[in-house]
Amino acid sequence: MTVRSLERAFELLEHLADAGGEMALSDLTEKAGLPMPTVYRLVQTMVAQGYVRQEASRRYSLGPRLIRLGESASRLLGAWARPALADLVDRLGETANMAVLEGDEAVYVAQVPSRHSMRMFTEVGRRVLPHCTGVGKALLAQLPEDDVRALLARTGMPSHTPHTRTDPDVLLAELAAIREQGYAMDDEEQELGVRCVAVPLPGAPALAALSVSGPSGRMTPEAIETVVPVMRNAAAAFAAELARV
């Protein structure tokens, strides 16, 4: 048994999120397909609770109280991911990560390190620009092209190594290829001597991706041919598990 008013409130929050976090009441009403008085009452209730904010422009945006919920949900998602990441480490031998897109950055929410003495380590909670990491490109590939261009315009594309993509058109062409092939790569673009393979996590509650990273000497083109299908299967299995939660 469901409470229809709660369903509608959550749908309004989803519409705001899909629109970039801010909408006019008229646009929100049109998107929801509900009478304006109904949308207004629901939105004002969420404003009173801090889950929606009314801007000086009279537009409505996602409220600050959602930040705490989002941070807690990200930590929980990371905890759920650890068994899948541990299985990837067992099967592939390299460090496995999970990241989500928060604002304009990729945020690492879980990691299981490799058992090799020479291994990659990324602190959970670390934020990186997505244009130069495998996991970041797997996240960007899930966005419409216009949204990617807008994000890159805001962040820029700073170079970290001679291999970093710094041209938006080059990156957009790569993202199109990633959508076709189902995986992304960081070929020493974030750090020299390190390669990373990443796959999107379909059906996750937020844009998310799994990655495996290691030294270039071990993450050879031949090794990557083995890594990709294992990662795709792991992402599909974890997505199915999330759907049951």
Side-chain angles (χ1 to χ4, degrees):
M1 186 177 192
T2 62
V3 179
R4 186 62 184 136
S5 59
L6 277 176
E7 287 182 346
R8 287 173 170 172
F10 286 126
E11 287 168 2
L12 292 176
L13 291 174
E14 292 283 351
H15 292 321
L16 282 170
D18 291 342
E22 183 177 310
M23 294 179 79
L25 181 64
S26 57
D27 295 333
L28 189 55
T29 298
E30 182 180 354
K31 188 71 175 177
L34 297 170
M36 184 173 287
T38 300
V39 173
Y40 180 77
R41 287 195 301 270
L42 290 169
V43 168
Q44 286 300 314
T45 300
M46 290 189 284
V47 168
Q49 296 298 316
Y51 296 112
V52 172
R53 174 186 171 94
Q54 187 168 16
E55 304 294 344
S57 63
R58 310 290 296 175
R59 292 167 66 86
Y60 291 95
S61 64
L62 296 175
R65 204 164 178 190
L66 290 170
I67 295 172
R68 181 171 62 89
L69 297 181
E71 290 174 345
S72 297
S74 291
R75 287 195 295 271
L76 189 57
L77 186 60
W80 287 337
R82 284 189 61 81
L85 299 182
D87 184 60
L88 282 174
V89 174
D90 288 341
R91 298 180 67 183
L92 300 173
E94 303 295 349
T95 297
N97 311 279
M98 179 177 177
V100 299
L101 190 66
E102 286 188 5
D104 292 340
E105 298 172 311
V107 182
Y108 290 92
V109 295
Q111 181 182 85
V112 174
S114 165
R115 299 181 186 88
H116 290 290
S117 56
M118 182 182 292
R119 62 191 181 192
M120 303 303 103
F121 180 79
T122 298
E123 201 172 280
V124 171
R126 182 187 178 197
R127 294 174 174 269
V128 296
L129 294 181
H131 71 285
C132 56
T133 62
V135 74
K137 287 189 279 187
L139 292 168
L140 292 181
Q142 300 176 64
L143 293 174
E145 183 174 308
D146 287 346
D147 291 353
V148 176
R149 284 192 182 276
L151 183 152
L152 296 176
R154 291 189 297 268
T155 64
M157 299 177 67
S159 178
H160 295 275
T161 77
H163 306 290
T164 305
R165 311 285 192 269
T166 57
D167 183 329
D169 290 328
V170 171
L171 180 61
L172 285 164
E174 184 177 0
L175 295 180
I178 289 168
R179 295 183 192 102
E180 288 289 325
Q181 65 195 20
Y183 70 94
M185 274 198 63
D186 159 12
D187 191 1
E188 302 189 25
E189 297 160 50
Q190 171 75 9
E191 184 179 347
L192 289 174
V194 177
R195 284 199 181 102
C196 172
V197 177
V199 296
L201 188 61
L207 288 186
L210 305 181
S211 69
V212 166
S213 56
S216 301
R218 292 201 302 262
M219 292 286 282
T220 62
E222 294 75 20
I224 288 168
E225 289 183 8
T226 301
V227 166
V228 169
V230 172
M231 292 192 67
R232 281 177 173 162
N233 290 338
F238 183 46
E241 182 181 333
L242 282 177
R244 294 193 294 270
V245 172

